[in-house]
Amino acid sequence: MTKQRMNDVCPHCGFRFEIEPGYFYAAMYVSYAMSVAQVVIAGLLTYQFTRSESPWVYLAVLMAAILIFAPFNFRYSRLILLHYLTPKVKYDPKYEDELDDAGLKG
């Protein structure tokens, strides 16, 4: 598996993603909320299908769910933070024109 890496700058419009130092630390809270929702759903589905009373069944299923969804949560918690929880971040086509003028756009 390759290491997940995020671009520092958007290759299309030149937008710098990390608006300020430590900006994406807030994405940890979004990722935590996503993980809690996934664990609750996985726990309820495990109960629905197995009706098991063994905590080891739930522990195994929930740990597997956390590990499987970790890459998804990493990427999409950052996207949710950028697009929905940061109102000052907007696409501005003038930056795309500036990249065209400078010859930086590919």
Side-chain angles (χ1 to χ4, degrees):
M1 182 162 92
T2 61
K3 181 181 173 186
Q4 288 200 7
R5 186 177 115 24
M6 185 172 165
N7 292 334
D8 294 329
V9 178
C10 176
H12 181 69
C13 69
F15 177 76
R16 187 172 172 348
F17 290 114
E18 190 160 356
I19 298 166
E20 57 192 21
Y23 172 73
F24 285 113
Y25 286 135
M28 290 188 303
Y29 297 107
V30 177
S31 177
Y32 175 74
M34 293 169 65
S35 293
V36 167
Q38 292 160 354
V39 163
V40 167
I41 291 169
L44 291 173
L45 287 174
T46 301
Y47 175 75
Q48 186 68 30
F49 289 118
T50 65
R51 303 279 184 191
S52 176
E53 293 183 10
S54 171
W56 298 108
V57 171
Y58 293 100
L59 185 65
V61 170
L62 299 182
M63 290 302 291
I66 290 170
L67 290 174
I68 289 169
F69 284 114
F72 172 84
N73 290 345
F74 176 79
R75 179 163 302 274
Y76 286 100
S77 64
R78 289 173 174 229
L79 287 173
I80 289 170
L81 180 68
L82 272 172
H83 292 288
Y84 299 111
L85 301 177
T86 310
K88 69 179 181 177
V89 175
K90 299 283 186 231
Y91 171 72
D92 191 348
K94 77 175 182 175
Y95 296 118
E96 188 173 350
D97 295 337
E98 289 174 10
L99 284 175
D100 286 339
D101 294 341
L104 299 174
K105 188 174 173 188

